[in-house]
Amino acid sequence: MDAFIRFTNQTQGRDRLFRATQYTCMLLRYLLEPKAGKEKVVMKLKKLESSVSTGRKWFRLGNVVHAVQSTEQSIHATDPVPRLCLTLANLNRVVYFICDTILWVRSVGLTMSINKEKWQTWATRHYYYFLLLSLVRDLYEISLQMGRLAHDRATREKSSQNPFGYSLADEETEWLQSFLLLLFRSLKQHPPLLLDTVKNLCDILIPLDQMGIYRSNPGIIGLGGLVSSVAGIITVAYPQMKLKIL
């Protein structure tokens, strides 16, 4: 109970819970819409989804400051590839939160002169760039882990392996199995990397759909958003599960 209270006291924790609720409503609405007699339930889910989405905007108002801090931290990463990817990703995240704040100002009626469509397009585009660069960093980290595992395995098997024991056909058949096994073991041994990769893969479906690059139905978007939100809740509740900047 104490851990739950500490979690909900954090702005990020409350935002993750609201986000999970929002995409759960979207998923349930998609599943119930084709069924007869569920119109009232669908309408309630739609209203709840809209209310939760509006509430989340309040939690995101100060996130531009956190994004700037993350940019400063990523500049000091020792590996040049994550340093470049994370710095560019966080810069796009800063722009996204600025656009999001301007859209919030427009939504609460403080000013009506803001072009909502233009700022929404900019926000979606920079959110997409942020996720894409984050995924590049994840893939780079995965390749490093797979390389280390492959090197360790080759070292262990070097003395006992018979170079003439396998045919070329055997090697071609086992290549895919070896690759998938290395990928599985790499992610299994590094849960933070697995969570970050799953989260970014699920999140990127949203801007891909909004930008028309890859269309998805609300059910896929809702499921992806829910999985991503659960991954985010885990990283907030257990900070050791968050992928570190080295």
Side-chain angles (χ1 to χ4, degrees):
M1 180 61 69
D2 291 339
F4 179 77
I5 293 174
R6 288 195 301 269
F7 173 76
T8 54
N9 282 337
Q10 300 180 56
T11 301
Q12 287 188 346
R14 292 193 294 269
D15 178 61
R16 295 295 191 278
L17 287 176
F18 272 56
R19 192 176 191 269
T21 303
Q22 175 186 347
Y23 285 106
T24 299
C25 290
M26 180 183 293
L27 177 60
L28 291 175
R29 182 164 56 85
Y30 173 79
L31 295 175
L32 293 175
E33 274 180 347
K35 299 182 179 180
K38 300 295 183 180
E39 291 79 7
K40 290 185 178 180
V41 178
V42 170
M43 286 301 299
K44 289 181 180 179
L45 287 172
K46 190 173 183 179
K47 290 180 180 179
L48 178 59
E49 179 187 336
S50 177
S51 299
V52 171
S53 176
T54 302
R56 287 186 59 221
K57 292 183 181 295
W58 289 92
F59 295 137
R60 296 202 301 264
L61 287 179
N63 281 355
V64 64
V65 177
H66 297 294
V68 171
Q69 292 177 341
S70 297
T71 304
E72 294 176 349
Q73 293 174 359
S74 62
I75 293 175
H76 301 292
T78 54
D79 193 314
V81 175
R83 181 168 66 240
L84 177 63
C85 291
L86 290 176
T87 301
L88 293 177
N90 285 315
L91 285 174
N92 278 281
R93 189 163 168 252
V94 170
V95 178
Y96 163 71
F97 283 129
I98 292 174
C99 295
D100 190 61
T101 302
I102 293 173
L103 288 169
W104 173 83
V105 171
R106 170 68 168 75
S107 66
V108 297
L110 294 179
T111 178
M112 302 302 293
S113 61
I114 295 174
N115 189 327
K116 182 179 179 180
E117 289 73 21
K118 181 181 71 174
W119 285 98
Q120 184 64 59
T121 300
W122 286 356
T124 303
R125 183 181 300 139
H126 286 286
Y127 183 51
Y128 169 69
Y129 293 153
F130 160 69
L131 292 172
L132 187 62
L133 288 163
S134 298
L135 273 174
V136 172
R137 183 265 183 121
D138 289 335
L139 293 176
Y140 175 76
E141 296 286 355
I142 290 173
S143 68
L144 288 182
Q145 298 301 331
M146 291 177 66
R148 294 190 185 103
L149 285 177
H151 179 268
D152 292 343
R153 187 178 68 175
T155 301
R156 289 194 303 268
E157 296 178 353
K158 186 176 181 180
S159 58
S160 59
Q161 185 176 1
N162 181 1
F164 302 102
Y166 299 96
S167 67
L168 181 60
D170 292 331
E171 293 178 358
E172 291 177 350
T173 303
E174 294 179 355
W175 180 87
L176 180 60
Q177 295 178 350
S178 298
F179 174 82
L180 293 176
L181 182 61
L182 281 175
L183 178 62
F184 172 76
R185 288 180 175 174
S186 299
L187 294 176
K188 182 181 178 182
Q189 293 181 11
H190 298 84
L193 181 56
L194 172 61
L195 280 177
D196 197 69
T197 304
V198 170
K199 179 179 177 299
N200 289 327
L201 282 173
C202 291
D203 278 340
I204 205 169
L205 293 173
I206 301 171
L208 284 176
D209 179 71
Q210 293 175 345
M211 296 171 67
I213 298 174
Y214 181 79
R215 292 293 185 182
S216 301
N217 60 54
I220 298 297
I221 299 295
L223 179 61
L226 177 59
V227 172
S228 169
S229 300
V230 172
I233 288 173
I234 293 174
T235 57
V236 174
Y238 304 97
Q240 68 272 21
M241 297 297 290
K242 185 175 182 180
L243 188 60
K244 301 296 190 296
I245 301 176
L246 301 177

